[in-house]
Amino acid sequence: MAQGRVSDRGVEDGSAVAVLDRPAPETARPKLSRPRRVARRIRLARADVIVATGYLSLAVLVLSGQWLQPDRGYLIKSGQDQTMWEWFFAVTAHNVAHLENPLGTLLQNYPDGVNMMANTAMFGVGVPLTPVTLLFGPTVTFVLVLTLGLFGTAFAWYWLFSREVVSSKFAAAVGGLFCGFAPAMISHANAHPNFVVLALLPLIALQLIRMTRRANATRELRKARRNRDAFVLGLLVALQIALGEEPLLVFALAFGLFAFVYYLHAPGTGLRALRTITPTVLLAGLITVALTEIPLWWQFFGPQSYRSIEHGPMGNDLKALFQFPSESLGGLVSHGQNVAINPTEENSYFGWPLWIVVAVAAVLMWRERVVRAAATVIVVFTVLSLGATLMIGKTSTGINLPWKRLDHVPLLDSVLESRFTMAAIPAVAIILALATQRALDYWKVSATDWRPLALFAALIFALLPLTPTILPVVQRPDTPVFFTDGTVRHYISNGSVVIAPPPTAPDARALRWQVDSNFAFPLAGGYFVGPTGTSKKGRYGPDDRPTASLLIKAQQSNTVPVVDDAARAQALEDLRYWHADVIVLPPTDNGDTLRLTVDQLLGFPAKYVDGVWLWDVRGLVRDAGQPTF
C-alpha cells in the first residue's frame, strides 16, 4: 500500500501511521559507488528541482509588479506597512554597519526611541540581508523577503509532505502549493513578511516527527542522537523567534492539537513517544533560551517594552470563510461583501468550493488518523478565528464563541484572532495531498478508473478560483529634495526633525524620507508599537502630544484652529519634549492650513527651502540634556 493510503491498521502494512509512528531504520543501506550515489541523488532531486522552480516562478509572478519598479513601486494594499517594514530593514542594516545595538533605536519616536525586538523587526532576515539593503535599498530587501517567503514556505511544506506523508512528489507538490500560496499567504504578502516567511515551521514539525519516530528505536540510538536533535530543534526555534513569534505560537498550538488527536487511537504509543522526546525537547528549550535570552529580555523588559497590545475585536466574519480572496481569479469574478479586517488580513477567504472538496475528502478518508487530526485542527482553529462573538456580514449575532474565554490569556491576548485560520492551511494541505495520493494509487491499479479523474476535477474546482493574481502596485511620490541632497543636515544640532504633523500609523511617509537621507536625523513620532503611559499596554505610535493632535485635526478639517497663548505654550513644551531642531512641512494635503497654523503657534513665518516649508526652532528649545542618536 502506498504511504499516502492511510488507515488505522498499523505500521506493518506501510500505512501513513508511519507519519509519526514509523520505526527509525537501524540497518544501513547497501553501499553504492560514488557515480551511482550521484546519479541516485540527481534522480531523486529532479522532481524537487522542478517543484522548486515552479514555486519560485509563481512567487516572482505574484510580486512582479514590485520587482519591475523597486525604486518607485509601492504595494498599495499594504497601507503604511510597506514603509514601516522598509524602515525596519533599513535601520537594522544601518545599525549593523555602524556596529550599533540593533535591538533598540532613537531614530524614531525621539527621544524615547523604539524597541525593535518588540516590533517584529525580523532580525533573522534583516541582519543577513544587510549587504543587500546597503547596496540596493530596503525596498529590494522587502520584496526579496516576501518572494523568498512564499517560495520557501511552499517548498518546506512540500519537503515535509514528500518525506513523511505521501510517496508521490506530485501529491506533495499540491500540498506545498496550497501552503505557500493560500489566500492568507497572498494577503499578507502585501505587507507582512513575518507571516509570509514561514519555512521554518514545517522544518520544526519535521524534526519533531523524526524525533518521535525514534521512540521505537533502541535506547543506544536515541541516546546517540539526543544532543544533535536537541541542538537542531533549539536552533530552528531560535531562528523562528528571530523571524516572528506570533506564527510560532499559533503553529505550536496547532501542532500540539494535531499530535493529541493523532494519538487518541493509540494513547500508549503516544505516551511512549512523549516520554521519549521530552528530555530532548527540554534540552532544546534550554538551547533556545541560551540563544535568545538577551533579545527576549530586551523585548519584554528593555526600553520601550510593553506587556501586551489590545487590538479590539479582530475575528473573522463567517461570510469570509466562503468567499474568494480579492487577489485571486475567483475574486476577479465574485469577491462578495468585503468583510475582512483590512486588505492584508484576508486570512479565511478559502472559498466555498474548497470547503466542499475538503469536507468530502475528509469523510471518505476518515479512517485515516492523519485526516482526523488535520480535520480537528481545521475546525478548532477556524472557530477560534471567528473571535469572541459570531459576526455574519459585519452584523453581530450575539452568539458567544470560545475565544471569549481565551482573549485575556497572556500571550494569546496579543494575537489577532483572525490569524488562527492560518493554522488550518497546512491541515487542509494534508487532506488535499492525501486525496491526491489516493487518486494516483487508484490510477496505478486501473488506468480506466473514473475516481482519479473525479478527484483531479474536484481539485481544479477548489483551487483554480484561489489562483493568486499579481499584487497591485502604484508609484510612490518622490522624497523631497530637502532630505535627499543633505540640506536637512544644516538644520540639525543633535536634536530631532518634527514633521508637521508628526508621522503616525495612518501616514508614515516620513520614515521613508529618513531612510533616503541615510538616517541624517531622528524623527519625532512615528509608526511602531510601543507602551502607552505607565500601563505597559502596547499601542501603535507614540502617546499623543497635544501639538501633534492639534496639527492632525487642522489637516483633517482644513481649518486653522484658534491659537491662543496656552496653545503656544503647549507647542513650546512639546518642542522641548521632542528636543526639536526644525519643523518641516513637506507637500501634503491641506498644506496651507498647516503652514498658517504653525506660523501662529511659533510666532514667526516659515521659510521655503528645497521643496519644503520649515521653521528653525533651535533658538526656542534648550540644548542641554538632549540624548544622542
Side-chain angles (χ1 to χ4, degrees):
M1 184 180 292
Q3 195 176 2
R5 297 284 300 278
V6 197
S7 71
D8 293 335
R9 291 190 294 275
V11 299
E12 64 274 3
D13 65 354
S15 72
V17 173
V19 171
L20 295 179
D21 297 341
R22 184 177 62 219
E26 300 184 44
T27 58
R29 291 175 178 172
K31 290 185 177 181
L32 300 174
S33 65
R34 185 171 183 178
R36 289 187 175 182
R37 289 200 304 271
V38 172
R40 181 176 181 273
R41 289 175 182 173
I42 293 175
R43 186 173 62 255
L44 293 176
R46 187 183 305 157
D48 297 340
V49 171
I50 293 173
V51 171
T53 302
Y55 290 160
L56 182 59
S57 300
L58 182 56
V60 171
L61 178 63
V62 168
L63 290 157
S64 59
Q66 185 68 74
W67 274 117
L68 291 174
Q69 40 188 335
D71 53 340
R72 294 287 305 279
Y74 194 87
L75 291 164
I76 185 59
K77 290 193 173 183
S78 71
Q80 298 297 305
D81 284 351
Q82 178 172 342
T83 298
M84 179 188 70
W85 279 102
E86 290 174 350
W87 188 88
F88 285 159
F89 292 138
V91 78
T92 297
H94 175 83
N95 288 337
V96 170
H98 291 80
L99 302 180
E100 297 174 358
N101 177 18
L103 301 178
T105 181
L106 293 176
L107 286 167
Q108 190 182 166
N109 191 37
Y110 196 80
D112 298 318
V114 174
N115 188 320
M116 294 287 286
M117 189 62 197
N119 274 269
T120 60
M122 290 187 75
F123 295 122
V125 291
V127 172
L129 290 180
T130 289
V132 175
T133 305
L134 295 177
L135 289 173
F136 305 105
T139 304
V140 171
T141 301
F142 176 72
V143 67
L144 178 63
V145 169
L146 291 174
T147 303
L148 295 180
L150 292 174
F151 156 71
T153 301
F155 188 76
W157 281 109
Y158 157 79
W159 187 269
L160 185 151
F161 295 153
S162 64
R163 270 65 183 175
E164 300 294 339
V165 179
V166 292
S167 59
S168 164
K169 295 291 183 75
F170 177 77
V174 171
L177 179 68
F178 186 77
C179 286
F181 298 92
M185 296 290 292
I186 301 302
S187 176
H188 284 288
N190 281 290
H192 303 149
N194 59 322
F195 270 90
V196 174
V197 183
L198 305 180
L200 292 183
L201 300 181
L203 298 184
I204 292 171
L206 181 61
Q207 180 66 11
L208 288 169
I209 289 171
R210 291 177 175 176
M211 287 164 49
T212 302
R213 269 211 326 262
R214 278 191 278 275
N216 298 314
T218 62
R219 180 184 297 271
E220 291 74 17
L221 178 61
R222 295 200 307 267
K223 198 170 183 180
R225 295 296 300 268
R226 178 172 298 166
N227 290 342
R228 177 182 174 183
D229 287 341
F231 177 77
V232 171
L233 181 61
L235 180 61
L236 288 173
V237 174
L239 289 173
Q240 180 57 48
I241 289 174
L243 294 175
E245 297 166 28
E246 190 175 348
L248 178 62
L249 175 61
V250 172
F251 166 82
L253 295 173
F255 191 77
L257 177 62
F258 181 95
F260 175 77
V261 176
Y262 182 86
Y263 280 119
L264 276 180
H265 174 78
T269 303
L271 290 174
R272 184 172 66 252
L274 182 62
R275 286 195 301 268
T276 301
I277 69 170
T278 295
T280 308
V281 171
L282 292 177
L283 180 57
L286 293 176
I287 293 172
T288 299
V289 170
L291 294 173
T292 61
E293 58 180 332
I294 293 177
L296 289 178
W297 180 91
W298 193 281
Q299 175 180 347
F300 292 105
F301 304 102
Q304 292 298 105
S305 60
Y306 56 91
R307 296 292 176 265
S308 64
I309 181 169
E310 295 182 354
H311 299 282
M314 289 290 177
N316 289 323
D317 193 290
L318 185 64
K319 289 183 70 173
L321 295 173
F322 306 100
Q323 296 182 167
F324 299 123
S326 56
E327 297 305 323
S328 69
L329 295 182
L332 294 177
V333 178
S334 175
H335 178 55
Q337 181 184 2
N338 181 15
V339 292
I341 298 170
N342 59 57
T344 66
E345 297 287 350
E346 293 185 354
N347 298 308
S348 60
Y349 280 65
F350 291 109
W352 57 269
L354 179 70
W355 288 121
I356 293 175
V357 171
V358 169
V360 172
V363 170
L364 294 177
M365 299 187 296
W366 189 251
R367 294 182 60 202
E368 305 179 12
R369 295 165 57 187
V370 177
V371 172
R372 294 200 296 271
T376 303
V377 169
I378 293 171
V379 171
V380 170
F381 280 82
T382 299
V383 170
L384 288 178
S385 78
L386 296 175
T389 305
L390 182 63
M391 302 286 292
I392 302 179
K394 292 189 174 183
T395 301
S396 175
T397 64
I399 300 175
N400 292 330
L401 297 174
W403 181 250
K404 192 175 184 67
R405 297 179 177 272
L406 299 174
D407 64 350
H408 296 297
V409 176
L411 295 182
L412 291 180
D413 58 357
S414 295
V415 176
L416 270 68
E417 54 266 38
S418 169
R419 294 173 177 173
F420 277 115
T421 355
M422 295 190 72
I425 292 174
V428 169
I430 287 175
I431 293 177
L432 295 179
L434 289 173
T436 303
Q437 177 71 66
R438 174 167 288 191
L440 293 174
D441 291 342
Y442 286 139
W443 224 335
K444 289 178 182 178
V445 174
S446 173
T448 60
D449 196 325
W450 62 269
R451 288 175 294 185
L453 292 177
L455 183 278
F456 294 136
L459 283 178
I460 294 173
F461 172 68
L463 298 182
L464 184 61
L466 302 181
T467 302
T469 54
I470 298 174
L471 298 182
V473 172
V474 296
Q475 295 280 314
R476 77 168 97 205
D478 290 328
T479 298
V481 177
F482 176 76
F483 297 110
T484 59
D485 68 358
T487 304
V488 64
R489 296 179 184 273
H490 301 312
Y491 294 89
I492 302 299
S493 301
N494 204 34
S496 72
V497 168
V498 178
I499 304 297
T504 58
D507 185 2
R509 292 174 299 163
L511 274 64
R512 177 69 186 198
W513 305 336
Q514 185 190 48
V515 171
D516 289 342
S517 74
N518 197 24
F519 295 105
F521 58 89
L523 273 168
Y527 182 21
F528 60 95
V529 181
T532 177
T534 59
S535 64
K536 283 292 187 178
K537 286 285 187 181
R539 59 164 290 170
Y540 292 98
D543 281 331
D544 298 325
R545 302 294 301 181
T547 303
S549 300
L550 178 71
L551 293 176
I552 292 173
K553 184 178 179 180
Q555 183 181 38
Q556 291 175 344
S557 65
N558 195 23
T559 303
V560 178
V562 176
V563 176
D564 53 18
D565 289 341
R568 294 187 184 94
Q570 183 63 59
L572 182 57
E573 180 182 340
D574 290 340
L575 290 174
R576 287 174 174 168
Y577 176 84
W578 289 319
H579 301 286
D581 281 342
V582 63
I583 302 175
V584 177
L585 174 60
T588 188
D589 295 337
N590 302 327
D592 289 341
T593 298
L594 286 171
R595 178 169 56 84
L596 294 173
T597 301
V598 179
D599 282 348
Q600 294 189 35
L601 285 171
L602 300 180
F604 61 89
K607 182 168 63 171
Y608 193 75
V609 178
D610 278 356
V612 302
W613 293 97
L614 64 82
W615 296 261
D616 190 336
V617 297
R618 285 174 288 188
L620 298 177
V621 179
R622 294 193 306 270
D623 293 331
Q626 296 181 4
T628 59
F629 66 94

